Amino acid sequence: MPRPTSPHPDTQKQRDQEQREATAHFYREWLKKPMSVAAVSPSSKRLAEAVAVAVGSAQSVVELGGGTGALTDALVAKGVANLVVVEAVPAFCELLRRRFPGLQVIEGDATHAAALLAGSRVPPGTADVVVSGLGMLTRPREEQQRLLEAMLALLKPEGYIVQFTYSLFFPAARGLLAEMGLESHRESMTWINLPPASVFVVRRAPSEAVA
């Protein structure tokens, strides 16, 4: 399988131009369907770098909600060997495939990620990390639980979730993580982002981890 390549690696000028075009694409899509785009602006380079740091040395990663590719670019640059992106918006899927030749981009709802990734480069149960920028704050508790369950189904027993949010707290209903046997901590805070964003790491609590 060919590894995904960074967009236009020959010159920084070309990469900057592609990012500007991706940003313009983001706002066009946001104006057309604001409810289908969780963010109010594309993720900043600083936020993308913070997410990449939280991913650590993971080599099998699933990104849920690739958008215009800001986080994807950081993960590709980090050298993640097996990276799959799930994105619900068709226009963003097309953009991601153009920006990152060789990247496996799967169109669909993240709550059905396990079914979508069957037979992919990172099948269910094999991901070291699931990266998510999906909006959770506005979802009902039941939807939040379904989304978290979908993420857990993708992970190895020792794997973890990296979730960024515009909240100071993990964006789940009170008590939900504990009920699901999960624990979270804020890994970093990126102030140079619109709006400022927190990066959280979520793991199975020790008593819930499967040996």
Side-chain angles (χ1 to χ4, degrees):
M1 293 278 186
R3 291 180 63 175
T5 56
S6 298
H8 302 303
D10 49 344
T11 68
Q12 185 62 45
K13 182 178 180 181
Q14 287 176 309
R15 291 189 66 180
D16 291 345
Q17 175 62 26
E18 182 117 351
Q19 185 58 52
R20 285 193 292 270
E21 291 173 359
T23 299
H25 195 108
F26 173 94
Y27 285 114
R28 286 196 299 269
E29 196 64 28
W30 188 88
L31 288 170
K32 287 191 297 183
K33 299 178 181 179
M35 296 306 294
S36 68
V37 180
V40 295
S41 66
S43 301
S44 69
K45 184 177 180 180
R46 291 286 183 87
L47 175 57
E49 290 171 348
V51 169
V53 168
V55 166
S57 59
Q59 288 301 298
S60 292
V61 177
V62 177
E63 181 187 358
L64 301 180
T68 61
L71 302 186
T72 312
D73 192 17
L75 295 172
V76 169
K78 190 177 180 67
V80 174
N82 299 301
L83 174 63
V84 178
V85 179
V86 176
E87 171 55 56
V89 180
F92 287 159
C93 290
E94 181 182 345
L95 176 63
L96 288 165
R97 292 180 182 121
R98 287 202 311 269
R99 291 194 68 195
F100 305 98
L103 177 68
Q104 187 169 20
V105 179
I106 299 175
E107 182 181 333
D109 186 334
T111 57
H112 304 302
L116 293 171
L117 269 71
S120 73
R121 295 176 191 170
V122 186
T126 68
D128 298 311
V129 176
V130 171
V131 171
S132 169
L134 298 173
M136 293 185 66
L137 282 170
T138 58
R139 297 175 188 254
R141 182 188 181 96
E142 294 76 15
E143 287 188 21
Q144 292 177 357
Q145 182 169 346
R146 285 199 297 271
L147 184 55
L148 287 167
E149 288 171 346
M151 295 182 195
L152 292 173
L154 302 179
L155 290 168
K156 296 176 180 177
E158 69 276 14
Y160 60 93
I161 299 164
V162 174
Q163 170 80 41
F164 83 80
T165 176
Y166 304 125
S167 170
L168 291 175
F169 306 97
F170 188 80
R174 181 174 295 182
L176 179 58
L177 292 184
E179 289 176 17
M180 295 181 67
L182 302 173
E183 55 187 20
S184 71
H185 73 271
R186 188 168 63 190
E187 186 79 5
S188 63
M189 182 78 189
T190 302
W191 295 103
I192 305 177
N193 192 75
L194 183 63
S198 302
V199 175
F200 283 88
V201 168
V202 181
R203 299 180 185 272
R204 296 178 175 93
S207 61
E208 298 292 331
V210 180

